Amino acid sequence: VLPPSFAYGGMENPCLTFATPTLLTGDKSNADVIAHEIAHSWTGNLVSNSTFEHFWLNEGFTVFTERKIKGRMKGEAVRHFTAILRWKELEETVNKVFSPTHPYTKLVPDLAGVDPDDAFSRIPYEKGSTFLWYLEDTVGGAALFEPFLKAYYTEFAYKSIDTDTFKSYFLKHFADIPAVSSIDWDTWLHQPGMPPYKPKFDTSLAQVCWQLAAQWQAWDSAGADCPFHGNEMKSLSPTQVQEFLASLLTGTVLPSAKMDKIEMLYGFSQASNCEILFLWLRLGLKSRWEPAVKATLDFLGTMGRGKFVRPLYRDLASWQEKKGEVVIFFQENKNKLMAGIVTGVSKDLGIS
């Protein structure tokens, strides 16, 4: 476990994974990051991408494998539920961080003359893993696709390859599957935007989260008694709490009175799980809930994980009345961050 300034969830150094301390939440809910780094032993370390333009060969494969591990351990419904949660992150990346036509939303972007850090996002992770999910469905399911993956790792062990190499091997392996001819490789690999296919997710674990979020959205906090009692979170897993908050975050802006009530009942500002705290802070900033500003700055002063740091600084900067305070805070605290994060946040804040 590295110091809090470590910029990544994990880093798959062979035989020695580096991990952020933000994973240590006491509820084991972030163990999927460890599964991710273990999966990198095959997808990234054994078979590597030749350049960062083909980064999805590392990360898309690893996310796909990580969730396979989760499905084996906890059931397919859990695998699907994790993908549902991260689908929202992909939508935000495509539609807000970049745009649906931005070249960095291509699975195989052109990075000639580009700092790869500028293009780093959820795209190779989530769009890449979705492509593999689609390929598995297309060829006939896991019973055919998983043996292919093993053969692929054996074929290209200790080599660095590009996407065309993967494509050629895939087409050769599945030459007898008629459905393979329907794959639109150009759209998947070279066109920007969301994937042209969304898996038919099992939503059984998500329904309760969506229903509770809809009930909170519908409650008239100005004129009706509060129908919630504070025990609603007790029956939810940490990941389901995340989906509840993520659903509120993608919904309409909540009034401050409603934010006050959620905090009073559930105490999200004191959450020890950084994934939950992160989503709660983002919801507060979107709602222009004043207590979220100090709570966010306090959180930003404790760690340097890019997944949390950059979105929170972007959210803070979008609150124009707070931007000056945020810039001063960043200037005073940037020495706690790794260089790549400092560069990224500087761009997000529009400062040199």
Side-chain angles (χ1 to χ4, degrees), residues 212 215-216 219 225-234 261-262 264-266:
L212 182 60
Q215 289 166 2
W216 271 102
W219 170 48
D225 292 338
C226 179
F228 307 102
H229 307 287
N231 59 356
E232 290 83 8
M233 295 300 123
K234 293 180 181 179
K261 194 66 175 182
I262 295 174
M264 185 186 78
L265 291 176
Y266 307 138

Side-chain angles (χ1 to χ4, degrees), residues 95-338:
N95 297 319
K96 295 183 179 180
V97 177
F98 296 123
S99 76
T101 59
H102 197 289
Y104 292 168
T105 66
K106 298 177 183 180
L107 199 52
V108 184
D110 180 2
L111 298 183
V114 174
D115 183 342
D117 278 347
D118 290 343
F120 182 83
S121 72
R122 300 306 301 172
I123 299 297
Y125 294 78
E126 299 302 333
K127 192 172 184 178
S129 64
T130 301
F131 184 36
L132 293 172
W133 194 313
Y134 164 75
L135 292 178
E136 181 175 84
D137 282 352
T138 300
V139 302
L144 293 175
F145 196 68
E146 290 179 4
F148 159 74
L149 290 178
K150 292 182 180 179
Y152 164 75
Y153 302 143
T154 300
E155 177 71 18
F156 298 106
Y158 306 110
K159 296 177 183 177
S160 296
I161 67 171
D162 60 17
T163 300
D164 284 341
T165 303
F166 163 75
K167 176 183 173 183
S168 295
Y169 186 74
F170 174 90
L171 291 174
K172 179 181 177 181
H173 187 93
F174 291 112
D176 296 332
I177 305 293
V180 166
S181 63
S182 68
I183 299 171
D184 185 349
W185 293 92
D186 179 69
T187 296
W188 273 104
L189 300 175
H190 304 297
Q191 297 304 313
M194 289 294 290
Y197 160 93
K198 185 176 182 179
K200 295 178 181 178
F201 294 129
D202 176 347
T203 64
S204 57
L205 293 174
Q207 290 293 337
V208 63
C209 314
W210 298 340
Q211 291 167 6
L212 182 60
Q215 289 166 2
W216 271 102
Q217 288 281 6
W219 170 48
D220 179 9
S221 57
D225 292 338
C226 179
F228 307 102
H229 307 287
N231 59 356
E232 290 83 8
M233 295 300 123
K234 293 180 181 179
S235 61
L236 302 184
S237 70
T239 311
Q240 287 178 306
V241 175
Q242 292 173 47
E243 180 62 18
F244 163 69
L245 290 170
S247 297
L248 288 178
L249 185 60
T250 57
T252 58
V253 173
L254 299 182
S256 291
K258 196 171 290 190
M259 292 294 298
D260 287 337
K261 194 66 175 182
I262 295 174
E263 173 64 11
M264 185 186 78
L265 291 176
Y266 307 138
F268 286 137
S269 293
Q270 305 303 314
S272 60
N273 187 317
C274 290
E275 296 281 357
I276 292 173
L277 178 59
F278 167 66
L279 289 168
W280 171 243
L281 294 174
R282 295 200 71 191
L283 180 62
L285 294 174
K286 176 183 176 179
S287 302
R288 299 299 187 256
W289 185 55
E290 192 69 32
V293 177
K294 181 180 184 305
T296 301
L297 295 177
D298 287 346
F299 182 49
L300 288 170
T302 67
M303 56 82 226
R305 187 177 175 186
K307 177 182 180 180
F308 301 145
V309 170
R310 292 195 63 182
L312 287 173
Y313 269 113
R314 285 195 292 262
D315 290 350
L316 283 165
S318 71
W319 193 340
Q320 286 300 317
E321 294 84 354
K322 306 296 181 182
K323 187 171 181 180
E325 176 186 355
V326 171
V327 170
I328 293 171
F329 176 88
F330 171 67
Q331 296 285 23
E332 292 176 346
N333 290 273
K334 65 182 180 181
N335 63 315
K336 301 175 184 178
L337 304 173
M338 292 178 68

